[in-house]
Amino acid sequence: MFDLETIVRPNVWKMKAYASARDEFKGTASVYLDANENNLGSLAGDNYNRYPDPHQKALKSKIAAIKGVRPSQIFLGNGSDEAIDLLFRMVCRPGQDRMLHLPPTYGMYEVSANLNDVQLDAVQLTPDFQLPVAEVLRNVKNTTKIIFICSPNNPTGNSINPESIEAILDNFDGLVVLDEAYIDFSDSPSWITRLPDFPNLVVLQTFSKAWGMAGLRLGMAFASEEIIALLDKIKPPYNINEATQELALKALEQDEQLKYMVEEIVQERQMLEAALPTMAIVEKVYPSDANFLLVKVKDANRLYSYLLDKGIVTRNRSSVPGCENCLRISVGTTEENQQLYQAMSEFKI
Ligand SMILES: Cc1ncc(COP(=O)(O)O)c(C=O)c1O
């Protein structure tokens, strides 16, 4: 049985959050002398001399309406990387607790675990990059606090079978963190709709991919109100800056444009998925539900350097176990994808 209090670090459970000036005074006044701001103004522009809303109320209410959850089920982070780090700090006692992840996968789970002195258990995905449920459950120890599952997975691009994810949620009493950074490019529904069924589920999403806002750093975690309250308690008070909050609010008005960009990227991905396998250098293009393709080639190191000489930079994943001789190629604009295609078709094996 999942019980939040038994998995949260005792110091986190007991501690009080920082109370900001804006927490202590919530009304409106004509003179603000409570936050040691610069009341003469800001060199960066209107408003920026004031601290941002630490609770991001306007942004959360808009996201809640779009995602079909309550604002109290949303945590906003300085990128989803911040949410990953805070999840470790929320439940894993340094030097004692463990996490499990499924390589080849996103590298920050491991980096964040190492930073927080959390022991790492790795269970390799199957050769077709699916989740080996029995092996995962066999590797769970009584100090395992988090299992990270990335779907669609980076760098492989595929979605993980929902039945496997459900089996982990049903049989593991710690947090199951499901990273859906690429969900907007997939036809599969988000697991956000299943939050009421699983008190141990945390879904991560981001504005860095489909929304095109990687430079602003805005990530989301969706979970039960109790989990979100704990994340809010331990976050730095002003973790989402004013410019990001303003610009994200504007972006959220443009859902038609989002749809258009996603359709365009998926179409371009499908074009590359069809074109690349016809090339002699290409051995396999893995199925993708994301905005990139994992491509197995005859000699990834040579192709990588060749493309770089042509001014095209891809991600060489050859050294990652399970991705030998693979390049991860992001879907670009039509022109960029044509350049890639042209360059690859001129490559001499
Ligand atoms: C699977 C996955 N999760 C999270 C992130 C990081 O997202 P953010 O920019 O919100 O920190 C990435 C970025 O590449 C990713 O691939």
Side-chain angles (χ1 to χ4, degrees), residues 161-262:
N161 265 330
E163 295 78 24
S164 311
I165 297 173
E166 188 147 350
I168 302 296
L169 282 161
D170 279 335
N171 292 290
F172 174 59
D173 288 339
L175 293 182
V176 178
V177 179
L178 186 62
D179 189 340
E180 293 187 336
Y182 299 98
I183 191 72
D184 297 301
F185 305 105
S186 152
D187 289 333
S188 313
S190 165
W191 280 76
I192 288 178
T193 55
R194 305 294 309 277
L195 285 173
D197 304 330
F198 301 107
N200 56 342
L201 173 61
V202 179
V203 177
L204 300 180
Q205 291 189 5
T206 178
F207 282 85
S208 297
K209 310 297 175 186
W211 289 92
M213 290 162 51
L216 288 178
R217 312 305 301 128
L218 186 60
M220 300 167 268
F222 302 91
S224 69
E225 291 188 357
E226 292 76 17
I227 292 175
I228 297 302
L230 284 163
L231 286 172
D232 277 337
K233 183 161 91 168
I234 63 175
K235 80 182 178 70
Y238 304 111
N239 63 330
I240 310 299
N241 70 69
E242 179 65 24
T244 297
Q245 293 195 39
E246 284 172 14
L247 290 167
L249 269 173
K250 277 194 199 140
L252 285 165
E253 300 288 344
Q254 300 170 53
D255 47 342
E256 279 305 306
Q257 184 65 11
L258 172 78
K259 247 177 73 190
Y260 167 78
M261 282 205 294
V262 167

Side-chain angles (χ1 to χ4, degrees), residues 114-346:
N114 287 335
L115 173 64
N116 288 294
D117 198 10
V118 172
Q119 302 293 308
L120 195 77
D121 292 300
V123 173
Q124 194 77 7
L125 291 172
T126 62
D128 60 347
F129 304 133
Q130 283 301 326
L131 194 161
V133 175
E135 206 186 329
V136 167
L137 295 176
R138 250 200 323 276
N139 277 276
V140 166
K141 305 185 171 60
N142 59 6
T143 48
T144 307
K145 295 286 186 75
I146 311 184
I147 297 178
F148 278 93
I149 302 171
C150 187
S151 182
N153 186 39
N154 176 11
T156 61
N158 63 299
S159 300
I160 305 294
N161 265 330
E163 295 78 24
S164 311
I165 297 173
E166 188 147 350
I168 302 296
L169 282 161
D170 279 335
N171 292 290
F172 174 59
D173 288 339
L175 293 182
V176 178
V177 179
L178 186 62
D179 189 340
E180 293 187 336
Y182 299 98
I183 191 72
D184 297 301
F185 305 105
S186 152
D187 289 333
S188 313
S190 165
W191 280 76
I192 288 178
T193 55
R194 305 294 309 277
L195 285 173
D197 304 330
F198 301 107
N200 56 342
L201 173 61
V202 179
V203 177
L204 300 180
Q205 291 189 5
T206 178
F207 282 85
S208 297
K209 310 297 175 186
W211 289 92
M213 290 162 51
L216 288 178
R217 312 305 301 128
L218 186 60
M220 300 167 268
F222 302 91
S224 69
E225 291 188 357
E226 292 76 17
I227 292 175
I228 297 302
L230 284 163
L231 286 172
D232 277 337
K233 183 161 91 168
I234 63 175
K235 80 182 178 70
Y238 304 111
N239 63 330
I240 310 299
N241 70 69
E242 179 65 24
T244 297
Q245 293 195 39
E246 284 172 14
L247 290 167
L249 269 173
K250 277 194 199 140
L252 285 165
E253 300 288 344
Q254 300 170 53
D255 47 342
E256 279 305 306
Q257 184 65 11
L258 172 78
K259 247 177 73 190
Y260 167 78
M261 282 205 294
V262 167
E263 275 167 19
E264 187 85 2
I265 290 166
V266 169
Q267 249 175 42
E268 287 292 320
R269 180 190 77 206
Q270 287 165 346
M271 196 280 291
L272 286 172
E273 267 170 337
L276 296 181
T278 64
M279 296 176 172
I281 175 84
V282 173
E283 299 221 310
K284 180 170 183 160
V285 177
Y286 290 92
S288 173
D289 288 325
N291 64 342
F292 58 83
L293 291 169
L294 188 71
V295 184
K296 195 177 196 69
V297 296
K298 294 210 162 70
D299 187 341
N301 293 338
R302 253 188 77 219
L303 180 63
Y304 176 81
S305 308
Y306 164 86
L307 288 173
L308 211 51
D309 284 344
K310 301 255 172 196
I312 300 170
V313 54
T314 60
R315 198 90 198 265
N316 189 351
R317 298 283 78 190
S318 293
S319 60
V320 176
C323 298
E324 292 77 12
N325 266 326
C326 285
L327 298 185
R328 193 196 68 192
I329 304 178
S330 306
V331 176
T333 62
T334 309
E335 294 72 28
E336 290 167 340
N337 299 333
Q338 271 163 2
Q339 272 186 50
L340 171 84
Y341 180 79
Q342 186 67 29
M344 280 179 71
S345 48
E346 288 164 9

Side-chain angles (χ1 to χ4, degrees), residues 13-89:
W13 191 263
K14 275 191 243 135
M15 68 177 265
K16 282 203 164 64
Y18 175 75
S20 70
R22 289 293 161 275
D23 285 322
E24 288 189 356
F25 177 78
K26 290 209 175 73
T28 43
S30 50
V31 181
Y32 286 97
L33 302 176
D34 59 347
N36 300 346
E37 295 154 339
N38 184 340
N39 284 14
L40 275 59
S42 167
L43 298 175
D46 287 349
N47 269 341
Y48 296 128
N49 57 331
R50 299 294 178 193
Y51 281 102
D53 174 8
H55 308 294
Q56 308 104 22
K57 283 203 196 68
L59 201 47
K60 281 187 181 172
S61 98
K62 204 153 234 165
I63 295 170
I66 291 173
K67 301 287 180 184
V69 293
R70 293 184 295 282
S72 52
Q73 290 181 284
I74 306 171
F75 167 80
L76 295 179
N78 186 11
S80 29
D81 287 344
E82 186 181 36
I84 293 167
D85 177 62
L86 288 175
L87 285 162
F88 278 120
R89 291 207 261 165

Side-chain angles (χ1 to χ4, degrees), residues 99-119:
M99 77 86 142
L100 189 150
H101 76 153
L102 294 139
T105 193
Y106 182 48
M108 276 306 286
Y109 315 138
E110 179 167 356
V111 171
S112 230
N114 287 335
L115 173 64
N116 288 294
D117 198 10
V118 172
Q119 302 293 308

